[in-house]
Amino acid sequence: MGKKILVLTSSGRKNGNTNTMAAAFIKKAMENGHEVTLYDVSHADIKPCFDCKACAKNTTADPCLQDPNFTEVAGLIKNAEAVVFVMPVYWFTMPAQMKVIFDKLWSFIMAGTDITGKEAALISACEEDSMTTFDGLTLAYERAMKYLNWRNVGEVLIPSCFEVGALEKTDGIVKATALANRF
Ligand SMILES: Cc1cc2nc3c(=O)[nH]c(=O)nc-3n(C[C@H](O)[C@H](O)[C@H](O)COP(=O)(O)O)c2cc1C
């Protein structure tokens, strides 16, 4: 039975290393019969969370009253059975574009909207050669998944990728494809 999988990409580089892995993941997931939606958060112009807590008393369909640009992706997250977070390492953690998505998940929690019980995965790349470069990212991701009560299906973390195309010299595509088989 196919699942509704939402893939969130967050690189500014359309043909970059993480988007290339996202494409490999999507191809295999669709071959496996899943219904996949791709949403690029890096060009969505979503504002930060101002902790106004309007979402706590929100009775409208928009989960964040401050930001109509969040509404579309919020709906996709709510309806998804699985969310794949695709993000390069920026400053030893996630890019700001993706961080606002995590911050705004708070609006569901404040509004009492149940988004627990989903599956999730992480796909990332970074410049440095050491796997420890991913520590800040994986800590934030794994703690968030635990908090949300989402099951972490797997992580693909590819070091030594700086320029666009560097991924080709790694096993990133093979691993992203294999990740799709785990859903
Ligand atoms: C603002 C910024 C911050 C970055 N910070 C790091 C870092 O802390 N560690 C690292 O190894 N690479 C860092 N990088 C390099 C990217 O992780 C690397 O180029 C990656 O392949 C980009 O993925 P993309 O091609 O999908 O955009 C940074 C890149 C940018 C643009």
Side-chain angles (χ1 to χ4, degrees):
M1 181 74 175
K3 291 176 185 164
K4 283 185 191 161
I5 302 178
L6 173 64
V7 176
L8 296 177
T9 53
S10 57
S11 167
R13 308 197 292 191
K14 286 220 181 298
N15 300 314
N17 299 309
T18 54
N19 281 358
T20 302
M21 287 191 281
F25 173 90
I26 290 168
K27 184 170 179 284
K28 189 66 187 170
M30 289 178 78
E31 279 170 17
N32 289 350
H34 298 299
E35 188 187 312
V36 185
T37 305
L38 170 64
Y39 189 93
D40 179 24
V41 306
S42 66
H43 298 96
D45 200 18
I46 296 169
K47 285 188 211 148
C49 172
F50 299 115
D51 198 12
C52 68
K53 296 200 170 59
C55 46
K57 304 181 205 107
N58 190 1
T59 53
T60 75
D62 295 320
C64 175
L65 293 174
Q66 293 279 359
D67 189 359
N69 287 355
F70 181 59
T71 303
E72 184 185 356
V73 68
L76 294 173
I77 292 168
K78 205 172 143 203
N79 289 332
E81 295 169 272
V83 181
V84 181
F85 296 93
V86 184
M87 44 184 156
V89 171
Y90 281 6
W91 283 100
F92 307 100
T93 185
M94 67 180 73
Q97 304 88 296
M98 186 63 91
K99 181 62 164 52
V100 295
I101 299 292
F102 276 91
D103 289 353
K104 296 235 174 179
L105 290 179
W106 190 238
S107 62
F108 288 115
I109 292 160
M110 292 300 280
T113 304
D114 184 11
I115 56 164
T116 61
K118 298 183 193 295
E119 292 185 321
L122 171 64
I123 295 176
S124 184
C126 74
E127 174 190 2
E128 291 175 42
D129 299 335
S130 169
M131 291 303 285
T132 63
T133 308
F134 293 104
D135 286 355
L137 176 64
T138 54
L139 178 72
Y141 164 77
E142 287 167 15
R143 291 291 294 263
M145 292 310 108
K146 218 167 181 181
Y147 188 88
L148 289 164
N149 195 15
W150 291 9
R151 189 174 77 83
N152 182 15
V153 170
E155 299 173 8
V156 173
L157 309 172
I158 307 297
S160 313
C161 286
F162 184 49
E163 303 293 354
V164 168
L167 187 82
E168 309 297 333
K169 297 193 192 96
T170 74
D171 55 359
I173 290 175
V174 171
K175 285 185 168 168
T177 303
L179 180 66
N181 288 331
R182 299 178 67 176
F183 283 89

